[in-house]
Amino acid sequence: MPFLASRRRKPPPLSGAFFAPSDLSDFSLIRALAIVSADILSSHRFPRRDDLFLQRRNSRSLLWKIEILLSFFESLLDSSSRLPSPVLLCLKELYILIHRCKMLMDYCALCGRIWLLLLNPLVSGRFHDLNLEISTLLDVLPIEELDLNPDVRDQMRFLWRRCGNSKLYIDADDEFLRLTVFSFLREFENGCAPDRSELQMVLVDRLGIRDARACQSEIEFLEDQINVHEEDADPAVLTGVAALFRYSRFLLFGFDVLRSRESNIVRGFRRSESNADAGEVTLVIPKDFCCPISLELMRDPVIISTGQTYDRASISQWMDEGHPTCPNSGQALVHTVLTPNQALRSWISQWCAEHGVPYDSPESYEASMPCYSRAAIEANKATVSMLLKQLLNGSLDAQTIAVRELRLLAKTGKENRACIAELGGIPLLKPLLCSSNAVIQVNSVTTILNLSIHDKNKVVIMEEQGCLNSIVWVLRHGLTNESRENAAATLFSLSAMHEYKKRIAFEAGAVEALACLLKDGSARGKRDAVMALFNLSTHSECAERMAEFGAVSALIGALGNEMVAEDAAGALALLVRRPALAHAVGKDDRAVSSLIGLMRRGTPRGKENAVAALQEMCRKGGASMTQKVARLPSLGGLVQSLMLTGTKRARRKAASLARMCHKCELAAAAAALGGVDYSLSRSGSLSVSMAISVPVL
């Protein structure tokens, strides 16, 4: 699934490291101080009416202090006397302090109002700390030794006394608002939705959030803080507040107010389809970096016993739910040890750094996973109920907004996925799959994809009459590449359950459409298609169906694409267990040469799948197939290399292939000479006796 790169402004931290410039002259240092002070005042002295709802008194008090300091700096600039060394030291400390003042003022102006409200006591404490630091510096500043304007000297003395007597100030109105927000969360925890008029008082009247766009911006800011694991706030509280204000957004502002925004999304969406600049910046995560279970960027990739890689959180949950098999291959798990995939983690980290995507260490990621409190769950349920009503009875614009929000909710948290399905979302999403509106279609199919990650929802989707048929319809006739790709990914997700593989394979057009996507789709589409076909190939009754509708041919062609080659080889290794398919694949010279190439240049898993496919072809294809493979000039060296350096399964398959080829060659040699009798001794070595008939002359 595409990743939307964040274009929102990130606030500076509340504290930071600054160093006083060591290469500036006296005059240059004072001038730099004056410039920074003037910049703070020009940016924050006359805010627009709606700009400063929180920390008003603390902000105005700090601006007043900076204004006095600016007068002090300007007076020093007018003086011609040389500054003593203690004054220069104080000015360097003031340089650091002024920058910290600027950072705090910018923080209050740029960060979300809800976020600032939640941190009200902490931010108030930061203002108080600055007051104390100003007082400390003025204590040691030898003002009497400076050639200053008398009025400026008096102002500095007054400032010193005021800062020395300052006390922590927490605005009572701001604190009342913060506690009111927490009371709303408690109401949701108790199973009751907050009163609409009280929500309007907090959001609209007191915080000045007067439309849906502003409310959505606030929610997105909160979610950013959840993702970066801001240490100053409890993630469980943040998820609850984000859910509360998402509910409030639709309750207070309805569904038709973002019409222009949704129109922009449609236009940007169409531009991205034509490979032009999209209205929103879209960053596609490499498929190999996504967990096959959650379909999201892996934060802690680990390898399981079958050699497959998953995100630790996803595969741990899979195992905790009692599944004894690998989600991708269906193979039984020999053990449950999770081995960190250090190389892949390093590649993901580098890619994230290059594209500006936050990427934490596994330890911090485990700690930063969203914790859904009961308040968040109940608030999201209330929001989902409103969204589903719009899907049922809303206008086209309202449906567009509602299905997009459902997609976002279903993207994170199994609680949200379970909630949407339990409240009847899947039957309402099904008719939207065939919508003539491209945005509605892609969001509806992606929502179902996200819902299908939860195993219980797989059952609901498959049992909903006509839902599978509609997903296949999107795969075949989707209005956009993204729709078709996500339909293929949905089939892959659903086919993880063994009992549904045959049903998907026998759904009219499903296999054929997956084969077409594997042949002609985008890089991501090919990946989705090959994974779905791989899952289907693990069911013994799907083989003939896949051969009949071109899947086998498509898989052979995919062997030449290194991005999907190893999964294509894995699927073929399963399909050629049928003798007819073993002969069909073996006759295709592309298949054999591509498998040999994969054994030479592929990943460890790719080599494993390639040798497994060749071994199965020889085992089921008989002597003629084995002889064809055995006579490949490079086979011997590759098999020997795999027997020494390959994975455990690769070594086993390579040894089996070597034995079959050896027997075949011996049989061929004996036939040429008149006969051969070969058998394995009890020690396991191959003993051969030849019977040669000599003609009588």
Side-chain angles (χ1 to χ4, degrees):
M1 289 179 289
F3 178 85
L4 296 180
S6 176
R7 301 176 65 183
R8 297 184 291 280
R9 295 173 296 180
K10 298 294 183 184
L14 288 179
S15 60
F18 291 101
F19 299 93
S22 58
D23 57 343
L24 293 182
S25 64
D26 299 0
F27 178 83
S28 297
L29 177 58
I30 298 169
R31 189 170 183 275
L33 284 164
I35 290 173
V36 176
S37 300
D39 179 55
I40 296 173
L41 293 173
S42 63
S43 300
H44 303 289
R45 179 188 285 166
F46 302 112
R48 295 193 308 271
R49 184 173 180 272
D50 290 342
D51 277 356
L52 198 61
F53 270 76
L54 302 169
Q55 296 295 337
R56 289 184 295 269
R57 180 167 162 179
N58 283 328
S59 297
R60 289 167 182 165
S61 176
L62 183 60
L63 290 174
W64 172 78
K65 297 176 179 69
I66 293 172
E67 188 170 7
I68 294 177
L69 290 173
L70 176 59
S71 299
F72 168 63
F73 300 142
E74 290 173 342
S75 182
L76 289 177
L77 289 173
D78 293 337
S79 173
S80 58
S81 60
R82 186 172 180 81
L83 298 177
S85 178
V87 173
L88 279 176
L89 183 60
C90 286
L91 289 178
K92 289 181 179 180
E93 292 297 322
L94 272 173
Y95 182 90
I96 299 172
L97 180 60
I98 289 295
H99 273 280
R100 290 183 58 202
C101 292
K102 182 180 187 304
M103 188 167 59
L104 181 56
M105 290 298 299
D106 289 344
Y107 185 89
C108 293
L110 294 177
C111 72
R113 295 180 184 180
I114 300 171
W115 171 252
L116 192 59
L117 180 66
L118 295 177
L119 297 186
N120 186 51
L122 176 63
V123 175
S124 298
R126 301 291 184 179
F127 279 102
H128 181 59
D129 292 343
L130 291 175
N131 285 333
L132 296 180
E133 291 182 38
I134 293 174
S135 175
T136 301
L137 279 174
L138 295 184
D139 273 341
V140 297
L141 179 66
I143 296 177
E144 303 301 331
E145 300 178 17
L146 300 175
D147 181 18
L148 295 175
N149 181 297
D151 291 337
V152 172
R153 181 177 284 108
D154 291 341
Q155 286 179 330
M156 291 293 287
R157 289 171 181 160
F158 180 64
L159 176 61
W160 169 61
R161 289 194 297 269
R162 282 288 300 271
C163 290
N165 296 326
S166 68
K167 296 181 180 179
L168 173 64
Y169 175 77
I170 299 177
D171 190 286
D173 290 339
D174 293 351
E175 192 64 8
F176 171 77
L177 277 182
R178 188 175 74 92
L179 297 177
T180 301
V181 170
F182 290 146
S183 73
F184 292 156
L185 295 182
R186 285 193 294 272
E187 287 186 61
F188 268 123
E189 287 178 353
N190 295 328
C192 300
D195 183 74
R196 188 182 190 279
S197 61
E198 293 183 5
L199 288 171
Q200 180 161 350
M201 180 272 293
V202 172
L203 262 74
V204 180
D205 301 336
R206 302 294 294 274
L207 289 175
I209 301 171
R210 294 191 168 88
D211 57 45
R213 185 173 303 178
C215 191
Q216 181 63 24
S217 178
E218 294 286 332
I219 295 167
E220 289 172 353
F221 190 97
L222 275 181
E223 291 173 341
D224 281 347
Q225 307 315 306
I226 296 171
N227 293 334
V228 301
H229 187 45
E230 175 62 53
E231 294 181 359
D232 294 324
D234 183 353
V237 173
L238 294 186
T239 56
V241 175
L244 166 67
F245 281 92
R246 183 180 291 107
Y247 167 78
S248 302
R249 170 195 160 182
F250 295 108
L251 180 68
L252 299 179
F253 305 120
F255 290 82
D256 295 328
V257 289
L258 289 183
R259 186 174 304 168
S260 60
R261 173 184 169 90
E262 293 300 328
S263 298
N264 289 336
I265 292 173
V266 174
R267 287 195 294 271
F269 186 83
R270 289 173 179 168
R271 283 197 295 273
S272 66
E273 282 298 309
S274 60
N275 296 322
D277 290 336
E280 294 186 36
V281 178
T282 301
L283 184 63
V284 178
I285 303 175
K287 197 67 178 178
D288 290 337
F289 293 173
C290 295
C291 175
I293 297 176
S294 68
L295 306 178
E296 297 175 356
L297 183 70
M298 285 188 280
R299 301 288 177 170
D300 188 9
V302 293
I303 304 170
I304 64 173
S305 64
T306 60
Q308 303 273 357
T309 295
Y310 300 92
D311 199 20
R312 183 185 295 274
S314 298
I315 192 62
S316 296
Q317 180 181 341
W318 171 269
M319 293 177 176
D320 291 344
E321 291 174 353
H323 298 288
T325 59
C326 169
N328 257 359
S329 65
Q331 293 176 285
L333 297 176
V334 179
H335 56 74
T336 58
V337 176
L338 303 179
T339 306
N341 191 332
Q342 302 285 3
L344 181 58
R345 183 187 302 160
S346 176
W347 294 335
I348 294 174
S349 178
Q350 292 175 17
W351 179 86
C352 289
E354 291 172 1
H355 294 86
V357 178
Y359 187 74
D360 302 321
S361 65
E363 293 79 12
S364 61
Y365 175 68
E366 287 295 326
S368 67
M369 290 182 66
C371 176
Y372 285 89
S373 62
R374 178 170 176 79
I377 294 171
E378 293 300 323
N380 282 334
K381 281 184 179 180
T383 303
V384 168
S385 295
M386 287 192 289
L387 296 174
L388 294 180
K389 287 179 182 177
Q390 294 303 316
L391 291 191
L392 185 62
N393 300 315
S395 65
L396 182 63
D397 289 323
Q399 287 182 338
T400 303
I401 297 170
V403 73
R404 181 173 180 270
E405 288 300 317
L406 286 169
R407 171 183 178 171
L408 295 176
L409 281 170
K411 185 179 179 181
T412 55
K414 64 179 182 180
E415 295 87 356
N416 290 342
R417 296 177 186 126
C419 166
I420 293 171
E422 288 169 3
L423 294 178
I426 291 172
L428 296 176
L429 287 165
K430 180 187 69 175
L432 300 181
L433 294 172
C434 301
S435 172
S436 58
N437 182 300
V439 176
I440 288 180
Q441 184 184 77
V442 71
N443 282 331
S444 59
V445 73
T446 309
T447 303
I448 289 182
L449 167 61
N450 293 338
L451 294 177
S452 70
I453 296 171
H454 188 50
D455 276 353
K456 291 182 179 179
N457 289 348
K458 287 181 172 67
V459 178
V460 180
I461 293 169
M462 292 298 292
E463 296 305 318
E464 174 63 28
Q465 186 175 5
C467 193
L468 176 60
N469 180 266
S470 296
I471 295 169
V472 172
W473 187 92
V474 177
L475 176 62
R476 299 175 64 190
H477 308 293
L479 299 174
T480 64
N481 287 335
E482 187 180 358
S483 295
R484 294 188 290 274
E485 291 164 357
N486 287 350
T490 305
L491 293 184
F492 161 57
S493 177
L494 295 173
S495 61
M497 297 187 74
H498 186 77
E499 56 267 35
Y500 295 138
K501 293 175 182 178
K502 179 179 178 182
R503 184 172 162 189
I504 293 171
F506 281 79
E507 181 69 32
V511 171
E512 184 179 8
L514 289 171
C516 289
L517 188 62
L518 181 55
K519 288 180 179 178
D520 305 320
S522 64
R524 177 173 172 258
K526 291 176 185 290
R527 178 72 172 168
D528 291 327
V530 76
M531 293 302 294
L533 290 173
F534 179 89
N535 269 4
L536 298 182
S537 65
T538 62
H539 195 293
S540 59
E541 296 183 45
C542 296
E544 284 78 8
R545 181 81 173 179
M546 294 176 70
E548 180 183 356
F549 289 98
V552 173
S553 175
L555 289 168
I556 292 173
L559 292 173
N561 185 329
E562 64 179 33
M563 190 182 72
V564 295
E566 64 182 38
D567 291 311
L572 288 172
L574 296 168
L575 292 171
V576 295
R577 292 176 180 177
R578 294 297 181 95
L581 292 184
H583 284 289
V585 174
K587 289 179 181 178
D588 193 321
D589 292 336
R590 294 179 306 157
V592 177
S593 61
S594 295
L595 289 171
I596 291 294
L598 189 58
M599 287 176 63
R600 181 182 295 111
R601 297 181 296 273
T603 64
R605 178 171 173 260
K607 293 176 181 180
E608 174 187 310
N609 288 346
V611 71
L614 287 174
Q615 187 262 347
E616 288 293 341
M617 282 169 52
C618 294
R619 190 167 73 91
K620 295 296 184 180
S624 61
M625 183 63 61
T626 306
Q627 191 172 24
K628 178 180 179 179
V629 172
R631 291 178 179 177
L632 293 171
S634 58
L635 180 69
L638 293 173
V639 168
Q640 185 176 11
S641 176
L642 278 180
M643 291 174 66
L644 294 173
T645 64
T647 65
K648 183 177 180 181
R649 178 170 175 257
R651 293 197 300 270
R652 187 174 70 251
K653 294 292 184 180
S656 175
L657 178 61
R659 286 195 297 271
M660 286 190 288
C661 290
H662 187 51
K663 287 182 181 181
C664 183
E665 288 296 291
L666 289 177
L673 294 175
V676 62
D677 177 31
Y678 57 88
S679 61
L680 283 174
S681 67
R682 289 186 179 181
S683 64
S685 60
L686 186 66
S687 60
V688 183
S689 61
M690 294 187 182
I692 303 176
S693 57
V694 181
V696 178
L697 298 178

